[in-house]
Amino acid sequence: MSDRDREVEEMLSWIREIVSFGVRRPGYPADLETERWLAARFEEAGLADVRLEPVPVNRWRPSRTELVFPGDGAWLDCCAVPYTAWTRPTGVRAPIVFAGDGAPEELDDLDIEGKAVVVEARFGDLPAGQLRAAARFAVDVEDTIPDGSLHAATFLIENFDAYYASLERGAAAFIGVLADMPIDGCDFWVPYDGYLKDLPAVWVGREDGTQLRRRDGAEVVLTSVGSCDEVDSHNVVGVVPGRGDEHIILTCHHDAPWASAVEDASGLAVLLALARRFAREPRALERSLVFVASSGHFHGGVGNRVFVERHREDLVPRTVAAIGVEHIAEEAVGDERGGYRLTGLPEMRALFVDAGQRLVDLLRECVERHGLDRTLALPATVFGPEPPCDAAPFFTAGIPSVCHISGPLYLFDPHDTVDKVRVPDLPRVTNLVDDLVRGIDGLSAAELEEGMQRRRGDPPPEAPRWFRPPP
């Protein structure tokens, strides 16, 4: 077996072990276990100054979620909407009012006070053609990136404001129909902003939308009970010392909505492989490498925000670049039978970048050298004030940054299993980042910052749509 094959096998074993811990939501026992496991792997690899830096999170854990029609005893599968309010143990009993997409004009025409408001959730779109037109460069050898839409952006519910509007108008509960999901089922972990909300709410699968519409006016009992407490999760940090006093940050988050493989055990496997490689040659680089396995991505991306704030006066001013790695993913589509089908292609990946042309040129060389097909290098602000990735706080801090990420359809449901990891791309992404680090180490801080859109010390932008606080 070649060294490359051995490395890939070890990366897969890490992914399987992380998945085996269970559901890794922020502060859950499996996520805390993952933190300890990562710290042990960093120490085993030979990293210096390995530490757990606390990140407070709301540990929100549903225990019973039910949707029952008392008139005939019928029930629907449902999943609590993350970070929404609990009901009393006997639930909330209220008549259903169907509100379509929940547009303001629809809600204004309805009497929803004391009702269970039903809204069809609408996802945003990943407009591949528009993104390609905006890209700094594209690598698409077989021309498989479509000119139109790639697929739904399941991280972005365009009409979630209907939840807050229902709360404001005195609704008793909120029922969201996952009308745009490519598969059947109600298990879905969005929004993941970390903000505690005041109205009980559940998701139901697309297959139950017709029944809810037909039962408009019928009474339903919605029960959503669980616990919520504030606990410390942790950023897991380790260092490979360099010769000078500047730094390059390498990061990936460790929490996840389920026992997820692509999100982001796959990125952690790349981070660990890089830690092992670079720890074998301490002080070989001019810059120190700071590895951050961050917490709380599914809590509004809080982990790296806390890291930047905690180190604003010491480490951040001497950080010349940051590199994020997320989601080494197979592409999947709905199979028209309520499940997923793998297409055999890698999920289209974004390399979000805010840096000068020197770093963009270096990035393109690395992508082409390592055969990372279906890649778009996108401006960091193409989706809004921050890129939709866990490394966003480094972009916002004005640090020259690159983040590898993809957005497959299954990231937020339990179908994110080991078979969805794009195994041939594990070494390719690892080698890409390895070469990128070494290339960055040969560029001055001034060269890296030339041409950046966002500068150090700029005022903070508004929160992105996917992490926006309640109104």
Side-chain angles (χ1 to χ4, degrees):
M1 183 182 290
S2 68
D3 290 344
R4 173 191 167 104
D5 289 340
R6 274 191 291 271
E7 185 176 58
V8 171
E9 281 302 310
E10 186 157 38
M11 293 171 82
L12 276 171
S13 74
W14 290 332
I15 291 168
R16 293 188 186 103
E17 189 162 5
I18 293 167
V19 168
S20 75
F21 295 149
V23 174
R24 303 192 309 280
R25 293 169 192 159
Y28 277 37
D31 193 40
L32 299 178
E33 183 177 5
T34 301
E35 295 171 355
R36 295 188 292 270
W37 182 87
L38 286 165
R41 299 292 78 71
F42 277 179
E43 290 176 341
E44 184 182 85
L47 270 61
D49 193 21
V50 175
R51 60 193 186 271
L52 298 175
E53 297 187 349
V55 178
V57 295
N58 294 316
R59 181 168 57 187
W60 186 90
R61 293 187 287 184
S63 57
R64 183 164 62 94
T65 312
E66 297 174 352
L67 198 59
V68 178
F69 295 94
D72 58 10
W75 55 273
L76 297 180
D77 285 334
C78 60
C79 174
V81 176
Y83 301 107
T84 54
W86 308 125
T87 67
R88 57 185 178 271
T90 54
V92 171
R93 184 168 182 151
I96 282 176
V97 58
F98 187 83
D101 291 347
E105 58 271 19
E106 290 180 279
L107 294 176
D108 288 342
D109 290 340
L110 296 170
D111 174 16
I112 65 176
E113 186 172 357
K115 308 286 179 62
V117 179
V118 177
V119 169
E120 293 181 328
R122 297 300 177 189
F123 295 151
D125 181 52
L126 287 177
Q130 294 177 36
L131 293 174
R132 184 166 191 155
R136 302 286 294 270
F137 66 83
V139 175
D140 183 20
V141 176
E142 301 296 330
D143 196 27
T144 61
I145 298 176
D147 291 332
S149 172
L150 181 68
H151 55 64
T154 49
F155 66 91
L156 181 59
I157 301 171
E158 294 278 19
N159 59 338
F160 194 73
D161 281 349
Y163 169 89
Y164 297 114
S166 299
L167 172 64
E168 183 181 347
R169 290 163 170 80
F174 182 89
I175 302 170
V177 180
L178 297 172
D180 289 346
M181 279 290 281
I183 63 167
D184 293 340
C186 61
D187 292 325
F188 186 61
W189 203 256
V190 174
Y192 48 97
D193 49 38
Y195 295 109
L196 300 179
K197 303 169 180 64
D198 294 330
L199 183 66
V202 298
W203 295 124
V204 300
R206 61 176 188 172
E207 67 275 18
D208 290 324
T210 301
Q211 182 174 171
L212 281 168
R213 182 190 290 267
R214 191 171 61 244
R215 287 179 178 263
D216 194 14
E219 282 203 321
V220 69
V221 177
L222 185 153
T223 305
S224 180
V225 295
S227 63
C228 183
D229 55 343
E230 186 176 292
V231 301
D232 278 341
S233 62
H234 302 85
N235 292 330
V236 187
V237 183
V239 179
V240 175
R243 296 188 299 272
D245 63 355
E246 293 181 327
H247 311 282
I248 300 170
I249 291 173
L250 300 171
T251 187
C252 171
H253 65 89
H254 58 68
D255 61 309
W258 308 92
S260 310
V262 171
E263 174 88 78
D264 209 347
S266 65
L268 289 172
V270 171
L271 197 70
L272 288 172
L274 290 164
R276 176 168 291 186
R277 286 187 187 184
F278 283 108
R280 291 181 182 135
E281 42 180 334
R283 306 194 187 282
L285 300 178
E286 184 65 27
R287 277 75 178 239
S288 295
L289 302 184
V290 180
F291 290 82
V292 184
S294 63
S295 172
H297 179 70
F298 284 87
H299 197 288
V302 68
N304 274 326
R305 297 185 200 284
V306 168
F307 183 87
V308 167
E309 189 57 37
R310 178 173 285 136
H311 295 287
R312 187 171 295 280
E313 301 301 325
D314 55 2
L315 191 148
V316 168
R318 301 199 306 275
T319 297
V320 300
I323 303 171
V325 182
E326 299 182 62
H327 311 168
I328 319 302
E330 293 278 0
E331 183 183 63
V333 296
D335 65 5
E336 300 182 354
R337 298 188 303 275
Y340 288 116
R341 173 179 60 81
L342 298 180
T343 68
L345 295 172
E347 176 72 17
M348 187 187 82
R349 78 193 86 225
L351 291 172
F352 290 106
V353 58
D354 187 2
Q357 193 61 44
R358 293 288 297 275
L359 181 50
V360 172
D361 289 344
L362 172 63
L363 184 60
R364 181 169 192 158
E365 290 171 13
C366 294
V367 170
E368 292 177 343
R369 181 182 309 129
H370 297 295
L372 281 180
D373 197 17
R374 305 194 91 204
T375 294
L376 300 181
L378 295 173
T381 56
V382 71
F383 282 103
E386 291 183 343
C389 63
D390 195 65
F394 300 110
F395 290 85
T396 298
I399 296 169
S401 299
V402 175
C403 187
H404 171 291
I405 192 170
S406 63
L409 288 167
Y410 48 79
L411 282 187
F412 310 112
D413 65 54
H415 296 268
D416 180 2
T417 45
V418 176
D419 63 300
K420 307 295 194 309
V421 175
R422 180 78 174 180
V423 175
D425 283 357
L426 289 171
R428 291 176 181 141
V429 175
T430 305
N431 292 335
L432 165 79
V433 179
D434 187 321
D435 282 1
L436 190 59
V437 165
R438 297 176 194 278
I440 286 171
D441 198 50
L443 298 173
S444 70
E447 287 174 312
L448 291 165
E449 292 186 4
E450 184 179 354
M452 285 183 60
Q453 182 172 343
R454 186 166 179 83
R455 312 293 293 185
R456 296 176 193 257
D458 283 354
E462 65 176 335
R465 288 181 292 164
W466 45 92
F467 288 154
R468 189 160 294 161

